[in-house]
Amino acid sequence: MAAPASPVSEPTAVPPVAGLEAVRLVCFALLIANLSYMAMVLTSGDWIVDPSGAPVHTDFVMVYAAGKLALAGDPAAAWDWTLHRAAEDTLLGRPVPAYYGWHYPPPFLLVAALLAMLPYWAAFVAWMAATLPLYAATVRAIVGDRIGWLAAGAFPVIVPNLVPGQNGFFTAALVGGTLLALERHPVAAGVCLGLLTYKPQYGVLFPLVLLVTGRWTAIAAAAATAVVLGIVTVMVFGVAPWAAFLHWLPLTSDALLSGTNQEFHKFQSLFALVRLLGGNAGLAWSLQIGLAGLTAVVICLIWRNERIPYDMKAAALATGVLLATPYVYLYDLTILAVALAFVLRAALRSGFLPLERTGLAVIAIAFVVLPVAGVPVGMLGAVITLMLIARRLGVLPSVRPVA
């Protein structure tokens, strides 16, 4: 029997909340900082295309190159490091200074191929123009108040997505959409979750939660969406991309996570932190697997507890998906905005708890400062978010600031 749905209602008129204006002011300042930085990037002549019109070498180059290979009739080549790198060289008109590989499951090649039908600059702009508003609208819908727009634009990983043309906005929108729709619209939630299979490492905890809470409609919708995506991919590209993906997957994993020359400061997981501090791969894998298992157990227990408000369940799951995987980059931390949106939603309903705004400020400062210094911020941001959630669940003792 399915677990009874928790009552969820979006606030239509948020009453005055003590401290909200301070939060609004900080969000506005962060939004201005994001806009100012992007203005400098735009006027630098080194974003999207250079003054000669050639693509600037960023992460989006690998998406566009994969799409071009698919359109040229060789979709499986997108997973071949040699052929894909050659496609990047051709796109840039020179050897790429660093190779950005294509590691996504085959259904995402459909998106890459669609984008590759456009000129490079137009494809870049189209991808950002589609995914950024989708992310912002998701955060706004979660918060349930106009400050949600401000919070979405203020989150400090906006720039790490916009500058390289990454997909963090899309990932966060799918995670947020799944959690937002799960209570009232399980089919829509399942569709979002099925689409999230383009980055399967962020969907691994969702099936466990859906199983332990008996949400069979969402499970069926997610499975059906994933199957349809797979079938469409085979119909369009054949089975070769699936064979190539499965062949290169272990090689890619070994190259990214088990090598000795990787730039582990770019990753935001416990695995990468251990490697960055000098630990070997065996120790890093052991600790990461242990953290993933512990996270899965705790998240399932939280979701099974009917006394815990849905907002906190959703915030915990959005944070948990970041802790459970070793493969997470700075731009992926946009998912943390989903977790914090649910925390803000709870604060708008019941008021801010003591030191809660301080915790939010620490997250904002850390996300602004630490990446600039080359220090991973993901684990710190996730831990502070979990502390905010635990505080609302009464796990942490009530602490009042000293006057």
Side-chain angles (χ1 to χ4, degrees), residues 59-125:
D59 297 5
F60 190 75
V61 167
M62 61 94 173
V63 177
Y64 196 80
K68 283 296 185 183
L69 288 170
L71 294 178
D74 193 9
W79 287 270
D80 186 300
W81 298 345
T82 302
L83 297 177
H84 185 250
R85 179 163 190 160
E88 291 186 2
D89 292 345
T90 300
L91 177 60
L92 266 66
R94 62 187 187 279
V96 294
Y99 174 53
Y100 297 148
W102 174 264
H103 313 308
Y104 298 97
F108 197 51
L109 192 61
L110 295 168
V111 175
L114 287 174
L115 291 171
M117 293 179 180
L118 302 171
Y120 180 82
W121 68 267
F124 192 113
V125 172

Side-chain angles (χ1 to χ4, degrees), residues 162 239-240 351:
L162 280 175
V239 298

Side-chain angles (χ1 to χ4, degrees), residues 4 88 111 128 173 221 277 312 361-362:
E88 291 186 2
V111 175
M128 292 295 96
L277 295 175
M312 294 302 97
V362 170

Side-chain angles (χ1 to χ4, degrees), residues 187-219:
V187 172
V191 171
C192 288
L193 187 56
L195 294 174
L196 188 59
T197 54
Y198 97 99
K199 274 200 167 180
Q201 70 267 34
Y202 297 124
V204 65
L205 292 182
F206 278 93
L208 297 176
V209 168
L210 297 181
L211 284 171
V212 300
T213 56
R215 300 175 189 272
W216 310 115
T217 301
I219 291 174

